[in-house]
Amino acid sequence: MRRFSLLILLLLLSATTFADNRQLLDELDEAISQRTTYAKFKGNKINLLKRKEMTETDSSAILKVMDELYTEYYVFRFDSAMTYANQGMSLAIKRNDKHYMTLFSIHLAEILTLGGMYSEAVNRLDGIDRSVVEADMMFKLYYSYFSVYSYWSDYCHDQVFSPLYREKSNDYLRQAMQYASESDPLYKFYQGERMVYVEPDSKKAREFYQSVMGASPEGSRIYAMASYALAGNFMVGGDEERYEEFLIKAALSDLKSCTMENLALQTLAVFLFQKGEEYIERAERYINVSMEDAKFYNNRLRILEISRNLPQIMTSYQDVTERQNRHLRYAIGFISLLVIGLLLTSYYIYRQNRKLNIRRHELAESNNQLTDLNAQLAESNQQQADLNNQLQELNQRLIYTNKHREGLASIYIDLCAKYIDKLGKYQTLVKRKIKAHQEQELLQTISSTRISEEDAATFLTRFDKAFLELYPTFVEEFNALLTEDGRITQKSPHTLTTELRTFALIRLGVKSTADIAGLLFLSNQTIYNCRSVTKNKAINKETFDDDVMHLCTVIR
């Protein structure tokens, strides 16, 4: 039972590690997509240093800025790093500055090493006058020798020269550590290197590397170096999961620090290719990114290393493809047998279905006929419903129109009654005046204009009321025929202006100017002018009269 529990625990830990590595791989993919942003940030930092160099006047300050520019370009752009190393060397020689002459000589050796020019790098280091090298510079000198011979050993990769150069590199690292300063941020990293190459102790080396990573920010060059070294430490111990984890972290830090001279991503790509088919696509993408970075950095050695790994990668890819093709052939053969069986079964089913289809066809025809009849019935019902709705709407309009007509009849009867009453009063007045022999006074009363004006006002008021009752939207529709600045405003909602009365009569069919003038108690000229002025304000003058006749065709 205890063994079973232990096995379950180990499986859970393995699954957790795998999940973590998968998450790290996703973070790495995201970082790859952000490479342009990281490069832009790096470019801005370099541009600031360049502007600072141009504004400096003191040569010592210029040398310091050139050293900073070299440091920024060292793992970012090979040619630019070489340029600033040479410029710094020239300026240091010109000033006879021993410190910077030594420093830039070491820089030149470093950059030559990355470019694969190991013999030239060693000659550059050999040319440094040891008698003038400062104590703190001795470490850089011997560590540069260590780097040159380490790269040279890896480059040879044989049984003759590679061990020889590895022994030299270890000897120089041993000498360099005598000058290492504990205040150096990379001191513990160097101690880890010592525990790997000089005094082999994997456990202590791992502790030193982990200490460096704990004290360094993620995304820094130091963090990437320690993470890559720690990955190698776990690989030697046979822990491939941890090896993959720290390789990914190293590649992530290289991308974030914009390190184009990177080895972690290339190594990770090779590892993923060998790990399994699931990772082939991702590994291919990583190796292509590594090649792009190597070409950008212009590092011939790194390009050569990637080119050396490509055949192995392509072979693995071809093996996977061949296995997939073989499985595909087996699958095709099995599917072919299934297809043959399916065809035989289909033929039998076809014969059975053919009989069923005849019956179904007959049934379908009957259903179609029934469906057509139902559709016709539904259409007839719909038409009947539409007609009922139209009839109901017409009835409503007729009721509404009748109400209007009743109102108009009431107004007409009221108006006639008043005029009959007024005529009766006139008749009584005339009889009384004649009997009293007051013919002259009667003539003055009849000739009075006040009576005619009152009658006219009464008529017009009643006309306005009757017309607006019959055509309540007349003013609104009439104004729609006129331009915006020519529209007519009513003095009150129940009163028409002379212009509106004129065209109200035209709408009623009274088109003669004389007839309109007589009905409105105005002169012919006044009516003519009114029609002309209003027509000139019309939007469409040619059809204005016809448009007026078509107003209020529906009583709302």
Side-chain angles (χ1 to χ4, degrees), residues 249-269:
K249 289 182 177 180
L252 264 170
S253 292
D254 281 339
L255 286 166
K256 292 179 179 179
S257 61
C258 216
T259 300
M260 297 298 177
E261 205 294 302
N262 58 56
L263 184 60
L265 190 62
Q266 173 191 342
T267 308
L268 177 63

Side-chain angles (χ1 to χ4, degrees), residues 10-147:
L10 289 174
L11 288 173
L12 289 173
L13 289 173
S14 175
T16 303
T17 303
F18 175 79
D20 288 344
N21 287 348
R22 177 62 60 87
Q23 183 178 354
L24 283 172
L25 287 170
D26 291 339
E27 291 180 20
L28 182 60
D29 291 339
E30 177 63 23
I32 288 173
S33 68
Q34 297 294 325
R35 282 193 303 160
T36 304
T37 303
Y38 299 140
K40 184 178 180 181
F41 179 78
K42 182 81 168 180
N44 292 337
K45 187 175 181 182
I46 289 173
N47 289 334
L48 287 174
L49 289 173
K50 288 181 178 180
R51 286 196 290 270
K52 184 177 179 182
E53 178 197 6
M54 295 175 63
T55 57
E56 290 288 354
T57 56
D58 181 63
S59 54
S60 297
I62 294 174
L63 284 170
K64 184 175 183 303
V65 176
M66 284 184 174
D67 177 44
E68 293 175 356
L69 281 166
Y70 165 80
T71 302
E72 292 296 330
Y73 275 121
Y74 173 56
V75 289
F76 182 63
R77 193 80 175 177
F78 178 85
D79 295 338
S80 299
M82 179 71 77
T83 298
Y84 280 102
N86 283 319
Q87 288 180 2
M89 189 66 183
S90 300
L91 183 58
I93 293 173
K94 184 177 180 181
R95 293 185 70 253
N96 196 26
D97 189 321
K98 302 297 183 182
H99 171 79
Y100 278 107
M101 287 171 64
T102 303
L103 179 61
F104 280 108
S105 291
I106 293 172
H107 286 342
L108 284 168
E110 291 172 341
I111 200 67
L112 288 169
T113 299
L114 292 182
M117 293 170 277
Y118 308 116
S119 178
E120 290 81 355
V122 171
N123 291 336
R124 174 65 66 176
L125 293 174
D126 289 342
I128 296 175
D129 185 1
R130 310 288 174 87
S131 63
V132 298
V133 177
E134 302 162 352
D136 61 340
M137 198 69 73
M138 289 298 292
F139 174 80
K140 288 183 178 291
L141 176 61
Y142 284 117
Y143 195 80
S144 294
Y145 273 115
F146 162 72
S147 298

Side-chain angles (χ1 to χ4, degrees), residues 208-248:
F208 280 121
Y209 292 141
Q210 288 175 335
S211 178
V212 173
M213 291 181 67
S216 306
E218 293 186 16
S220 64
R221 175 66 178 155
I222 299 175
Y223 187 94
M225 292 165 60
S227 182
Y228 186 78
L230 189 57
N233 183 284
F234 280 113
M235 190 61 177
V236 171
D239 190 344
E240 291 191 356
E241 289 295 336
R242 302 301 298 277
Y243 170 71
E244 179 185 358
E245 175 187 347
F246 286 99
L247 264 185
I248 297 171

Side-chain angles (χ1 to χ4, degrees), residues 248-481:
I248 297 171
K249 289 182 177 180
L252 264 170
S253 292
D254 281 339
L255 286 166
K256 292 179 179 179
S257 61
C258 216
T259 300
M260 297 298 177
E261 205 294 302
N262 58 56
L263 184 60
L265 190 62
Q266 173 191 342
T267 308
L268 177 63
V270 175
F271 174 76
L272 291 177
F273 256 109
Q274 297 170 348
K275 188 174 181 179
E277 298 179 9
E278 180 183 355
Y279 298 91
I280 287 179
E281 182 180 354
R282 180 175 256 134
E284 184 180 15
R285 187 166 67 253
Y286 292 169
I287 201 72
N288 287 332
V289 172
S290 296
M291 179 63 83
E292 290 174 9
D293 288 348
K295 289 179 179 179
F296 179 85
Y297 183 72
N298 198 19
N299 186 340
R300 289 173 292 177
L301 175 61
R302 193 66 67 222
I303 294 173
L304 182 62
E305 287 179 348
I306 295 175
S307 300
R308 185 189 299 167
N309 288 324
L310 275 175
Q312 177 186 358
I313 294 171
M314 293 307 299
T315 300
S316 300
Y317 182 73
Q318 289 173 357
D319 290 342
V320 171
T321 305
E322 181 60 31
R323 284 198 302 274
Q324 291 176 342
N325 289 337
R326 187 164 56 251
H327 294 158
L328 183 61
R329 286 195 293 271
Y330 292 153
I332 290 173
F334 180 70
I335 291 171
S336 299
L337 293 175
L338 289 178
V339 169
I340 293 172
L342 182 63
L343 289 174
L344 293 174
T345 305
S346 299
Y347 177 71
Y348 174 76
I349 294 172
Y350 170 74
R351 293 190 62 184
Q352 296 298 320
N353 285 341
R354 189 175 180 183
K355 296 177 181 179
L356 291 175
N357 286 336
I358 296 173
R359 295 293 181 87
R360 287 175 181 171
H361 183 68
E362 293 173 353
L363 182 61
E365 287 183 352
S366 299
N367 289 335
N368 289 334
Q369 291 175 0
L370 182 60
T371 301
D372 291 340
L373 291 173
N374 288 333
Q376 292 174 8
L377 180 60
E379 185 178 356
S380 299
N381 290 336
Q382 184 62 41
Q383 291 175 354
Q384 184 66 36
D386 292 340
L387 290 173
N388 289 336
N389 290 334
Q390 291 176 8
L391 180 61
Q392 186 177 2
E393 184 179 353
L394 289 173
N395 286 333
Q396 291 295 329
R397 290 186 181 181
L398 182 59
I399 292 169
Y400 188 74
T401 302
N402 287 335
K403 286 183 180 180
H404 272 277
R405 287 175 177 174
E406 290 171 3
L408 293 175
S410 176
I411 293 171
Y412 174 74
I413 292 168
D414 181 57
L415 187 61
C416 289
K418 286 188 178 183
Y419 274 104
I420 290 169
D421 181 60
K422 186 172 284 190
L423 285 174
K425 289 180 180 180
Y426 267 115
Q427 186 177 14
T428 303
L429 177 65
V430 171
K431 287 179 180 179
R432 185 165 50 84
K433 292 291 185 182
I434 293 174
K435 287 179 180 181
H437 302 287
Q438 295 176 347
E439 292 84 358
Q440 188 64 34
E441 185 179 346
L442 176 62
L443 183 61
Q444 290 176 358
T445 301
I446 295 172
S447 302
S448 174
T449 58
R450 187 175 63 86
I451 298 176
S452 299
E453 289 174 357
E454 289 176 357
D455 293 340
T458 301
F459 172 78
L460 293 177
T461 301
R462 295 300 181 91
F463 173 78
D464 292 348
K465 180 180 179 182
F467 184 80
L468 290 175
E469 283 285 335
L470 185 61
Y471 302 112
T473 60
F474 176 77
V475 176
E476 179 185 349
E477 294 185 27
F478 182 74
N479 276 327
L481 301 177

Side-chain angles (χ1 to χ4, degrees), residues 146 166 170 173-174 192-200 209:
F146 162 72
R166 176 56 63 188
N170 293 345
L173 179 60
R174 190 179 296 110
E193 297 288 273
R194 182 170 67 87
M195 292 300 168
V196 172
Y197 298 107
V198 179
E199 303 173 14
Y209 292 141

